[in-house]
Amino acid sequence: YMTSMGFLLLGFKEFFGIAYRWWEAVSVALVASVGIVLSRVLTDGAYDGIWLLYVGSGSNLLMTMLVIWQGKAGETLPSRSLAVLVTGVYALGNFCIAPFAFVYPVLFLDGAPHAIWLEYCVIPLVICNAATYVILLVLKLERTTESQRYLATRDMLTGVLNRRAFYDSVAAFTERDGSMAVIDLDHFKKINDAHSHKGGDDALRAFARCAEATLPADAVFGRTGGEEFAICLPGYDTTAAMLVLEQLRANVERLDVASPKGGSMPFTISCGFSTFRSGAWAIAQTIAEADNALYHAKHSG
């Protein structure tokens, strides 16, 4: 029983990506088992030491609760707080039984255990045990759902919004003023030719990280295809958008990206943008205007 709670602890550590050693599953059980044996030997069998079984199991469950409470950095699972509650109640139940098991030791008659507290405690512990495993399945389903949602909305290479998710997100700002920008990595084919396709991928990832670090929190940023990206700046007029985009252009120019073939891999970007008015703009048209401005930017140096 104690060892199973130990493996439950390790299972949750594995689930949340927390380092562990296999012996953690049996360490509490070994210590408590020694205590149980000593209790019987030192009292000539007057005390069976079974109360230590519940203390050990409760300890493993308490550590499991703390692991769930800590969770995985950056991950939001709606049922995690419920999992903390379930394992906490399970741990508390074991700790509450321990005093009864100490005061009223279990007697074995014809091989069957007997104690005045036993019949009232077994079913609640079984329910808690089942609830703990059910909540773990719920957490796994929530993680799978979140993973599928992430994969459906994110570009696999850069991790930013993909084309569809970008358009869906921008649709929420049709009733606001703002600016829409289209950005293109300059001479991307030459980057691939000179630094290999991995170098091209590294350049795209480096630009995406730079953009996420530079852009304001309310900006919508996504990869719309190949080496092309788009940015929506709700609430930003021409002057404000120019400041943000010029800062991004300058930051990219200063990037120090290592080439897979050795040395550095400098690159630049070109950008075109268009402003829009609330209730009077279409996403496709505004992006087309920004794309036309990008064309002029690239051909004017």
Side-chain angles (χ1 to χ4, degrees):
Y1 180 55
M2 286 184 288
T3 302
S4 69
M5 296 304 101
F7 276 110
L8 185 67
L9 168 63
L10 264 57
F12 273 105
K13 282 190 173 184
E14 172 74 18
F15 182 76
F16 288 113
I18 300 173
Y20 63 88
R21 299 291 184 271
W22 68 268
W23 48 261
E24 293 178 47
V26 297
S27 56
V28 173
L30 288 175
V31 173
S33 297
V34 171
I36 290 173
V37 172
L38 289 176
S39 176
R40 289 177 175 173
V41 171
L42 296 177
T43 62
D44 293 327
Y47 283 95
D48 53 28
I50 287 181
W51 65 278
L52 287 170
L53 183 149
Y54 295 99
V55 171
S57 300
S59 299
N60 276 330
L61 286 165
L62 183 61
M63 289 187 286
T64 301
M65 183 191 74
L66 295 175
V67 166
I68 300 172
W69 179 272
Q70 178 182 351
K72 186 176 182 179
E75 181 179 59
T76 302
L77 298 177
S79 296
R80 190 161 61 89
S81 57
L82 180 59
V84 171
L85 177 63
V86 169
T87 50
V89 169
Y90 197 3
L92 181 62
N94 279 273
F95 286 129
C96 288
I97 292 173
F100 291 100
F102 179 79
V103 176
Y104 303 103
V106 176
L107 300 177
F108 288 87
L109 303 176
D110 298 327
H114 291 273
I116 59 174
W117 53 269
L118 195 58
E119 60 181 296
Y120 300 103
C121 298
V122 171
I123 297 301
L125 288 183
V126 170
I127 293 174
C128 286
N129 186 274
T132 302
Y133 284 93
V134 168
I135 197 65
L136 176 57
L137 292 177
V138 172
L139 291 174
K140 291 181 69 176
L141 286 173
E142 288 179 349
R143 175 175 286 174
T144 300
T145 301
E146 177 62 22
S147 177
Q148 290 175 340
R149 187 198 66 80
Y150 181 88
L151 292 174
T153 59
R154 296 286 168 168
D155 172 59
M156 293 298 294
L157 178 65
T158 62
V160 303
L161 293 177
N162 59 28
R163 182 185 182 91
R164 179 178 178 180
F166 175 81
Y167 274 74
D168 290 343
S169 299
V170 169
F173 300 115
T174 54
E175 298 304 317
R176 295 184 61 182
D177 295 347
S179 296
M180 185 78 70
V182 176
I183 294 176
D184 186 270
L185 271 66
D186 296 325
H187 311 296
F188 189 67
K189 184 178 185 303
K190 290 183 179 180
I191 296 176
N192 280 327
D193 292 342
H195 303 281
S196 76
H197 286 285
K198 182 182 185 307
D201 290 346
D202 290 345
L204 292 170
R205 280 190 287 261
F207 168 70
R209 290 193 299 268
C210 181
E212 289 180 320
T214 304
L215 294 174
D218 56 350
V220 181
F221 174 56
R223 184 184 180 194
T224 52
E227 68 273 23
E228 191 171 281
F229 295 79
I231 301 170
C232 180
L233 296 167
Y236 285 70
D237 60 14
T238 300
T239 303
M242 180 69 79
L243 290 174
V244 171
L245 297 171
E246 173 59 25
Q247 183 64 59
L248 175 59
R249 186 205 62 77
N251 288 349
V252 171
E253 199 170 52
R254 289 192 291 265
L255 284 177
D256 184 16
V257 182
S259 170
K261 294 186 176 182
S264 61
M265 185 173 57
F267 62 90
T268 58
I269 61 171
S270 294
C271 175
F273 74 97
S274 175
T275 57
F276 53 82
R277 303 284 292 178
S278 62
W281 67 286
I283 298 171
Q285 178 184 345
T286 306
I287 289 183
E289 293 170 356
D291 201 51
N292 187 51
L294 169 64
Y295 175 86
H296 288 294
K298 292 185 77 70
H299 286 81
S300 64

